[in-house]
Amino acid sequence: MRGGGTAWREFAGNRGGLIGLVVLGLFVLTAIFVPLLISDSALDVTRATGGRLESPSGNFLLGTDENGTSILALTLWGTRMSLVVGLAATLLSVLIGTTVGILAAHFGGWLSAILLRFTDFFLIMPSLVLAIALSAVLEGGAGTIILAIGVVSWPTSARLVRAQTLSVEARPYIERAKALGGGHSHVIFKHVLPSVLPLVFVNTTLAVGSAIVAESTLRFLGLGDPNEVTWGTILRSASNSGAITYGAWWYLLPPGIAIALVVLSFTLVGRALETVLNPKLRERR
C-alpha cells in the first residue's frame, strides 16, 4: 500500500480535485466561523434595517429579502446547516449501505437474499418521493431531513460494497484466514473492511453533493423546520415572496450558486480520490 505522501502528491497533481478541495475548505471555514463574521441577530426580522427586496448596495452587498434581512447574512449562515445536514445524511446512508453490503456478501444464503430484496425495494422506489413522505410523516427539523435522506439513499452504497466484498473474499488470503480458524468478525474487521474502506470513502465524498441537493429540494418544498436557515429555505422564501416576478435576482442567485459550487467541489474531490485510490483508473491517465 502506498504511503500518505505518495497519495497526496497524486491527488495534488489533479488540478480539478485540488480546486475542489480549496473551495470546500472555504465553505467549511465559513460554516465554522460565520458566528464571528456575522452575528445571528442579523437574521432577526424584527431587527432588519433594510427595505423590502432592496437591490445590492454598499450597505447590503447582496441585497435584502422581503423582510429587509441581508441576503449575504442568510447565505453565509445557510452554509452551516446545509453542510451539516448533507454530511450527516451521507454518513448515515453510507453506514447503512456498508453494513448491508458486507453482511450480504460475507454470509450469503438466505440472509443475502433477504438483504438484496430489501435493497431492490429501495432502489425501485422514487427516492425523492419516499424522502418527502418520511419528512411529512415525522416531526420537522434537521434530524428528520437527515433521517429521510439517509434512509432512502443507501442502496447504491450497499451494491458497491457488496461487489467489492465479494471480490475481496475470493482472494487466497481470506481462505487461509478461515482455514486458520478466523471467525466472521476476524475476517470482516481485519481483512474485508480495510479493503473496502477506500471505496466507501470515495463514495461518501461523491454522495455528499447529492445529499445537499436533496436537502435543498426538501426544504424548498416546505419540509423540515422553516425557521432553520438553509440554502433551500432561502430559495423557498424567494419563491413565496415573488422574487422572480419582482426581478430580485440577488435573492435567488447566491444560495443557488452556493449549492452548485459545493456540489461541484465534492464531485471534483471525489473523482480525484477515485483516481488516486483505484489503480485501474490511474493506469488510464
Side-chain angles (χ1 to χ4, degrees):
M1 181 177 291
R2 295 166 305 143
T6 303
W8 167 249
R9 283 192 295 271
E10 291 184 3
F11 180 87
N14 188 309
R15 183 176 299 178
L18 201 58
I19 292 174
L21 185 63
V22 171
V23 174
L24 280 182
L26 293 176
F27 275 106
V28 171
L29 290 175
T30 299
I32 294 173
F33 295 109
V34 66
L36 301 178
L37 300 174
I38 300 176
S39 172
D40 58 355
S41 62
L43 308 178
D44 189 349
V45 296
T46 63
R47 301 183 182 181
T49 58
R52 183 181 187 276
L53 296 178
E54 185 177 322
S55 61
S57 63
N59 294 327
F60 299 99
L61 297 180
L62 295 181
T64 64
D65 64 4
E66 71 278 11
N67 299 312
T69 305
S70 169
I71 299 298
L72 177 60
L74 289 171
T75 303
L76 292 180
W77 272 94
T79 303
R80 169 173 287 194
M81 184 59 69
S82 294
L83 284 182
V84 167
V85 172
L87 288 169
T90 301
L91 290 176
L92 176 60
S93 168
V94 170
L95 178 62
I96 297 173
T98 301
T99 302
V100 171
I102 290 178
L103 292 179
H106 178 77
F107 290 99
W110 62 269
L111 180 60
S112 177
I114 292 175
L115 292 176
L116 288 178
R117 296 296 77 76
F118 191 61
T119 303
D120 290 339
F121 170 77
F122 278 91
L123 277 174
I124 63 174
M125 286 289 291
S127 58
L128 181 59
V129 174
L130 187 55
I132 291 172
L134 287 173
S135 300
V137 170
L138 301 174
E139 270 188 41
T144 298
I145 300 295
I146 292 170
L147 182 63
I149 297 173
V151 165
V152 303
S153 56
W154 60 267
T156 302
S157 298
R159 286 287 186 179
L160 289 172
V161 171
R162 176 180 177 273
Q164 182 70 6
T165 302
L166 289 173
S167 174
V168 170
E169 296 216 355
R171 296 170 185 172
Y173 69 85
I174 298 293
E175 292 296 330
R176 289 197 296 270
K178 293 178 179 178
L180 292 173
H184 295 301
S185 60
H186 174 81
V187 172
I188 290 174
F189 291 104
K190 294 292 184 180
H191 299 290
V192 174
L193 193 57
S195 298
V196 303
L197 276 180
L199 175 66
V200 170
F201 184 58
V202 171
N203 186 57
T204 301
T205 307
L206 292 171
V208 174
S210 299
I212 290 176
V213 171
E215 186 268 344
S216 299
T217 302
L218 294 176
R219 300 283 192 174
F220 181 77
L221 294 174
L223 301 171
D225 186 353
N227 295 318
E228 291 176 344
V229 180
T230 72
W231 294 328
T233 57
I234 298 172
L235 290 173
R236 175 176 172 78
S237 297
S239 176
N240 291 340
S241 65
I244 298 176
T245 304
Y246 189 82
W249 55 268
W250 57 88
Y251 202 170
L252 299 164
L253 284 183
I257 292 175
I259 294 171
L261 281 177
V262 77
V263 171
L264 177 61
S265 299
F266 272 113
T267 302
L268 290 173
V269 171
R271 294 303 181 193
L273 286 174
E274 194 174 31
T275 303
V276 171
L277 298 175
N278 191 332
K280 293 181 180 179
L281 292 179
R282 289 201 306 275
E283 292 171 1
R284 296 176 188 173
R285 294 179 59 184

